[in-house]
Amino acid sequence: MDILIISFSNSDYDRAAQGVAGAGRNLATVLGGRLRAVVIGPGNAAMNSRLAAVADEVIVADQAELAEYQPEIFLQALTSICRDAAPAAVLFGNDTYSQELAPRLAHRLSGSAAGDGIELAVDNGAIRVRRSVYGGKAVATIELKRSPAVLWLRARAFEPAPEKDSATAAITRPAVDLSMRAPTQIIERKSEGAGEARLEDARVIISGGRGLGGPEPFADLQDVAGLIGAQLAASRAACDSGWCPPSWQVGQTGKKVAPGLYIAVAIRGASQHMAGISDARVIAAINIDADAPIFKHCRFGIVEDYKNVIPLLKEKLAALQR
Amino acid sequence: MNIIVCLKQILDPEVPARDFRIDAEKKEAVRGTANLVTNIFCENALETALQLREKTGGRITALVFAPESGEDALRKALAMKADEAVLVINDGHPHPDPLAVAHVLAAAISKIGVFDLVMVGRESGDWGVGQTGGLLAEELGVPCISFVDNLENGTDGLIVTRQTDNGWEKARSTTPLVVTITNNEYNVPRIPKTRDIMMSARQPITRLTLDEIGVDAASIRAGGNYYEIVDISIPVKEVTCEFVTGDSLDERVDQFAKRIIEVTQAL
């Protein structure tokens, strides 16, 4: 049985898309099926050709009605494509649009959905997903009982798909009837921090929490970030206090990030927050309290009021970078 | 505007990791001394509903599918000034799968009658499944917008603002509509007044059984038609934190900075 992977053409063939493709290739190999990539949204030739190098077929849905993301229309298009393909599994990344559509798509296909997967396996023909639960305090394995399995994955937890030795895949463009009147219509979009890489793709993240006490210290963190090529993030407490945009939020209920280095500043490290950074390679922390749970996850740390650390840290990093 | 807010009662997610235990047999967390609380995103949903009602008028019905303990979540919703409270009694499976939940909620909503808007939390703090809203929309046959943090009445339909990966989107929508609610700085749930808490204790709660809302109670009680939890465990962490040392703060920060550079250069 075939595996479908879904990519939205408004993003690139980034690390997340590569991870989804990698997960899809492994599953297709185990199940003895083809890996078929669906690219939905406005035409993105670069993405189509990157996917053609790793998948066995690329299905492009770029007709005029799909020029911009509209949930009901995209859902209709994916439903139609998936019905025709009759796959064993449909794999998404864990971006907004994927999470929005996956459960509904599963329902329309009479399949089962599960999200935020960090591992996939096949047991007696049934697809199983591992995901973290209870705010990251536990990990569960879930077996999907209906087919197809519609899964959204913590995509960076999966190795990228290898390029094929054989010729690149054929690109097909099925005609999908989308002449529907959508009851919802997205009428305005705004990106914050345009030009910056997505937080999920960041190699280094410096993140601020409740202990910062206000929005001003984020300016200092920005200076540190600038010195080491890091991106800024925040805990839920800092976002809820309005100190920074909600799109910076990292945690069970925010972004799930996977940087090489995550520096937590004045973040205590509730399991809710840790659930968002469990894929970080190295965690470091600056915290005034040696007993803060964050230190249990850290490779290295400093126990000190961040206010005393940050100005010095800026100096030291600047000197070391020279 | 008739608004239905679905609330989930969960084990307090603030239980520290050191006190957290798993029941391998039942494949769920051991309750221990932890309280049951209303899932935070559900409270964000109720708060968003209350603010919308202040602008547009209307009625808010709080809906809970839970064992008898679910009454506490409804009392709190009433104390926050929801107008009505409905409890669908779950007398069977302790954690029914998301499709069973959506199916029950949809049947209860049909029983309640007319609605313009159904609001649910984006995900729960226990299983964090994040499917109730989407599946419920499909069960009800109405559209859905996820990760919403604000709603207003527009000239032709609702204007719905939702968070995206790197910003936000505004949508115009007809009703009926299902939205899943995420948090922002404006929908932090209000603390009910003492007087309202006392009053809520005397307000009526409509209790419905699975049979009364016309769902196949046996299949809901059995669970596991959609997916099944086959294993749950507490991951073992093997990291030890090396605290930077030095005679002065200057030295310690210097060590810290060196470690940062070491790690970033190896990436």
Side-chain angles (χ1 to χ4, degrees), chain A residues 15 154 156-157 198-207 228-233 250 255-264 273-284 299, chain B residues 263-264 267:
Chain A
R15 180 64 185 83
R154 205 180 278 202
R156 289 159 193 78
R198 287 151 43 99
L199 208 47
E200 290 93 331
D201 284 322
R203 292 165 69 242
V204 183
I205 291 175
I206 178 159
S207 188
I228 52 174
Q231 275 185 256
L232 282 188
V250 164
K255 302 263 164 71
K256 314 286 182 351
V257 297
L261 174 63
Y262 185 90
I263 307 170
H273 185 75
M274 302 318 295
I277 58 174
S278 56
D279 295 328
R281 208 178 308 156
V282 175
I283 299 171
R299 205 71 74 75
Chain B
V263 174
T264 51
L267 292 178

Side-chain angles (χ1 to χ4, degrees), chain A residues 150-170:
Chain A
V150 180
L151 309 171
W152 71 96
L153 305 175
R154 205 180 278 202
R156 289 159 193 78
F158 295 84
E159 287 300 311
E163 297 210 350
K164 295 176 301 173
D165 302 330
S166 51
T168 59

Side-chain angles (χ1 to χ4, degrees), chain B residues 146-163:
Chain B
S146 302
F147 310 114
V148 171
D149 64 5
N150 189 47
L151 299 108
E152 292 160 79
N153 234 347
T155 42
D156 47 354
L158 281 169
I159 302 295
V160 180
T161 312
R162 66 93 160 261
Q163 296 174 15

Side-chain angles (χ1 to χ4, degrees), chain A residues 97 100 104 107-108 112-113 131 134 137 139 141 143 145 185 187-188 192 240 253 255 304 316, chain B residues 15 41 122 126-128 131 138-139 146 165-166 169-170 172 183 226 228 231 233 250 252:
Chain A
Y97 298 163
E100 175 163 74
R104 300 182 68 193
H107 194 285
R108 290 191 183 190
S112 295
R131 60 190 302 275
Y134 290 106
K137 292 198 218 39
V139 181
T141 304
E143 183 166 302
K145 291 294 187 188
Q185 185 76 27
I187 50 176
E188 199 183 340
E192 281 152 354
D240 276 357
T253 54
K255 302 263 164 71
E304 182 65 48
K316 303 286 182 192
Chain B
V15 171
F41 287 114
R122 59 174 274 187
D126 53 359
W127 290 88
Q131 298 193 37
E138 292 302 308
E139 289 282 310
S146 302
D165 296 315
N166 56 3
E169 291 174 344
K170 252 188 215 314
R172 187 192 298 124
N183 62 302
Y226 187 72
E228 189 191 338
D231 177 64
S233 61
D250 191 278
R252 288 193 294 140

